[in-house]
Amino acid sequence: MKANLYLMNKNGQAAAELAILGVLIITAFSFIMNFGQSLGAQQQTKMESFRRALQKAYIRNASVSNTLKKTVNVASVNAGFFQGQGLSPESSSSVTWQKGKPGDQGSLRQSSFAFWRINNTDVSASNDTDDAMTGSSADYGLPLNYQYTYSADGSQSDYMMLIPASAYKENTTRTETYAFSGNKIESNPSIRYEKTVNLEDSSSGTVYTHFNTATDEDPGDDTPETPEYEEAASIPYDSSISYAYDSDWTVPHGTGSGTGSTTVWPKTITTMGEWEALFGPTMQDMLIWSKVRDCINAGDSFVITDSVNGDGYCNAG
């Protein structure tokens, strides 16, 4: 009796240790997976931000800064099917690509620009300097303000130049709407599975911008001017991404090609013809086919217990 109790205690302890180990392994795997996906999303956002800054600098023929924020969903062991976990990687890049004077051809006041983007939505606002631009304000990014600039030798620009605002704060709200439906329809010839998932990932908020109105009239010295900020536009935005998964597939029963027939499992057969009529001698079932053939050739019957691939056991004697 004591020996039995000892074995039961040992088995119970082993089961508990195995359960704890399993939880630790799943937790470690989840951490590694989340870290890898987060790192990948951040790296992809950095590359996209740089490429977009390069594109904007080429189009505007000037120095530009570009901030890109993404809302992405990655796989998660804690979320529903196709739901995932939300990440918000963000990156900023600055690029100068300039030939001759900066800005549009013939422009006198354009110098540099700043862009802010969330997913596929560009944030921009009109301002009082539209007379110095040939396109819409949306093509020039964040608001611009007139300001004199000074070169390294302290000389003042001939015209008041357009200086972009900077984004200093953002209020954002992110919501996810998740809907899942699954249906299993079982009939005599097959089982049909229907699975549909819809995920709506929406972000809305406001980007707050301001101008640094302090001008450094001697950029060559080692004492930069203390910034003096003036409030600029508060720009609202809305961005939405839709994800959808729709699958419909059928798993046939091993009932052959006969229509209206009903097969009751398990089924006992005595000839190879019966088995091949139900499943056919395909390569993926060759081991099972050989098993059935050996049983039938020995003069025994074969009991089919698996309705999908025809496997079962030999009823010897």
Side-chain angles (χ1 to χ4, degrees):
M1 184 66 178
K2 291 183 178 180
N4 291 337
L5 290 175
Y6 175 77
L7 290 175
M8 291 176 62
N9 290 336
K10 294 290 288 183
N11 291 338
Q13 180 182 353
E17 291 174 351
L18 185 61
I20 294 172
L21 179 62
V23 172
L24 293 176
I25 291 175
I26 293 175
T27 302
F29 173 75
S30 175
F31 174 79
I32 294 172
M33 182 180 69
N34 290 340
F35 176 77
Q37 292 182 120
S38 177
L39 190 65
Q42 184 63 44
Q43 183 66 21
Q44 183 178 8
T45 303
K46 286 182 178 180
M47 291 189 295
E48 185 176 345
S49 174
F50 172 75
R51 291 194 300 268
R52 184 165 293 278
L54 197 64
Q55 178 195 45
K56 292 294 186 181
Y58 172 75
I59 295 174
R60 297 271 65 90
N61 188 43
S63 174
V64 306
S65 64
N66 178 76
T67 297
L68 174 65
K69 183 175 181 179
K70 304 281 286 185
T71 56
V72 297
N73 282 71
V74 297
S76 173
V77 297
N78 300 317
F81 176 77
F82 204 74
Q83 183 178 17
Q85 172 187 354
L87 297 178
S88 299
E90 184 175 345
S91 179
S92 296
S93 302
S94 297
V95 173
T96 299
W97 188 338
Q98 180 180 326
K99 294 182 179 180
K101 290 185 177 181
D104 299 331
Q105 184 176 2
S107 66
L108 299 175
R109 300 180 182 274
Q110 296 178 18
S111 61
S112 60
F113 303 90
F115 297 88
W116 201 98
R117 182 182 179 93
I118 177 169
N119 295 325
N120 298 320
T121 301
D122 290 310
V123 173
S124 63
S126 60
N127 47 65
D128 296 333
T129 59
D130 290 346
D131 59 312
M133 296 180 287
T134 59
S136 66
S137 58
D139 297 331
Y140 297 87
L142 297 182
L144 299 162
N145 189 38
Y146 283 127
Q147 186 174 326
Y148 281 110
T149 60
Y150 295 84
S151 61
D153 60 5
S155 60
Q156 187 186 70
S157 59
D158 296 331
Y159 302 93
M160 294 188 75
M161 308 301 293
L162 291 174
I163 305 301
S166 59
Y168 69 93
K169 185 176 69 172
E170 174 203 359
N171 292 338
T172 184
T173 301
R174 184 177 181 180
T175 58
E176 291 185 355
T177 304
Y178 175 74
F180 169 83
S181 65
N183 194 20
K184 176 182 177 182
I185 306 171
E186 187 165 359
S187 62
N188 178 52
S190 62
I191 301 176
R192 181 180 177 184
Y193 296 90
E194 299 173 340
K195 187 176 290 187
T196 302
V197 180
N198 289 288
L199 176 64
E200 189 79 14
D201 189 354
S202 303
S203 297
S204 61
T206 303
V207 176
Y208 298 89
T209 63
H210 59 192
F211 296 113
N212 179 13
T213 57
T215 56
D216 189 354
E217 298 183 11
D218 190 7
D221 64 10
D222 295 329
T223 55
E225 194 74 17
T226 302
E228 296 178 7
Y229 292 109
E230 174 185 306
E231 198 73 15
S234 300
I235 313 170
Y237 68 85
D238 285 286
S239 175
S240 183
I241 301 177
S242 298
Y243 302 91
Y245 174 90
D246 191 4
S247 182
D248 185 344
W249 75 99
T250 300
V251 179
H253 289 307
T255 55
S257 58
T259 59
S261 61
T262 301
T263 303
V264 180
W265 309 100
K267 179 178 177 63
T268 302
I269 61 171
T270 57
T271 67
M272 281 303 297
E274 293 179 79
W275 191 91
E276 292 180 358
L278 292 171
F279 304 101
T282 59
M283 289 302 296
Q284 62 183 4
D285 297 322
M286 280 303 294
L287 291 177
I288 300 175
W289 180 84
S290 299
K291 177 181 177 180
V292 177
R293 179 200 59 189
D294 294 343
C295 178
I296 297 299
N297 289 344
D300 300 319
S301 59
F302 188 83
V303 181
I304 304 173
T305 58
D306 193 326
S307 62
V308 176
N309 57 26
D311 200 5
Y313 62 90
C314 187
N315 188 17

